[in-house]
Amino acid sequence: MNKSGNVGKTTLTHNLIYINLAQRPKVISIETTNSGLDDSYEMNLDIKAAKYCRDVFERVLREDNIIVDVGSSNTEEFMRQLKQFDGAYSYFDHYIIPTIPGKKQGQDTCATINELIELGVPQSSLRLVLNKVNEFTESSVLSEFQELITQLKVFGYCITVALPDETRGAIEVMLGNGKKSKSIQAVAIPESDVFDRARSIIDQEGRTRSVAELSVDETNYRAELRQAQSDEQRDKIINIQLACALARTQEKYHQFAWSSLRLEETL
């Protein structure tokens, strides 16, 4: 969830969280204006407006293994109902907050985090996903998310982000001047057009293929390209082949981010 829209929330729900959970969860999308989650995604999907949050709370209490994807246009109402039902925040194991570089996004993300903490959500239940990162270096991430870091500093918080490192495998970098005890755990996802390409690739059942699925596609598209009879067929095959190549790179980052989020070990 995030008060800010267009931060990659729906895309990450599909390609990072849902696909990596051993038991495929039910996904409830709380969205009324612009739901990116639809039947083209291979997920167990239920779409509700924020006014039905009571139904969502009941579902979460009755069933295990549910992802609730809150659209930015419904965040305020979702928060209001979390306050109305005392202690309802505890029905959720984790709150995952994707964000991207930008002044407004930094401000909205900080406001989302601060409101959740004021509700009583433990800091340890929060996870930040720094999306559309250009370079996996401390200086680059610090520069790209400076607004968010500055806003969090006002409340005494900082960010500890896990970054892949070619030499050491992984490093943890603290962004901001807060204490480690007030640090919010984060992971980073690189900028890539693999998601746009993946959305245009529909399987035989009419569903969008995930990055993970594309990354293990072993089809010999070079051979198919030689047999193509039209420019339209060639364009389609080339798009899939390039999407698979991008997906193999992107999926490595997704797997690193997934392991760094440490969600399953605390469920």
Side-chain angles (χ1 to χ4, degrees), residues 116-248:
L116 286 170
I117 290 173
E118 287 183 345
L119 269 173
V121 176
Q123 180 186 320
S124 58
S125 294
L126 301 177
R127 299 288 191 278
L128 263 174
V129 179
L130 307 180
N131 199 17
K132 298 188 176 182
V133 172
N134 285 319
E135 292 182 27
F136 285 115
T137 63
E138 179 177 359
S139 59
S140 179
V141 176
L142 183 63
S143 173
E144 291 180 65
F145 293 91
Q146 186 59 59
E147 181 65 31
L148 172 59
I149 295 164
T150 300
Q151 293 288 327
L152 286 173
K153 186 178 178 181
V154 174
F155 300 98
Y157 289 95
C158 62
I159 301 169
T160 298
V161 58
L163 298 175
D165 181 84
E166 291 183 3
T167 305
R168 290 170 284 180
I171 56 173
E172 277 199 345
V173 176
M174 185 175 288
L175 305 175
N177 299 321
K179 298 179 180 178
K180 188 158 187 177
S181 61
K182 298 200 73 175
S183 178
I184 297 168
Q185 185 178 338
V187 297
I189 300 290
E191 174 84 79
S192 175
D193 71 350
V194 66
F195 305 109
D196 290 332
R197 289 185 180 273
R199 286 190 199 97
S200 69
I201 301 170
I202 308 299
D203 65 18
Q204 293 180 346
E205 296 179 354
R207 297 185 180 277
T208 301
R209 298 174 67 187
S210 69
V211 171
E213 290 166 338
L214 289 171
S215 72
V216 295
D217 187 336
E218 297 182 351
T219 304
N220 187 344
Y221 289 110
R222 294 292 297 276
E224 288 193 6
L225 193 59
R226 287 191 289 270
Q227 296 172 10
Q229 300 297 311
S230 67
D231 287 341
E232 183 180 356
Q233 284 182 320
R234 293 185 189 93
D235 289 344
K236 182 178 180 180
I237 293 167
I238 288 171
N239 181 55
I240 297 174
Q241 187 172 2
L242 291 175
C244 291
L246 284 170
R248 287 191 290 273

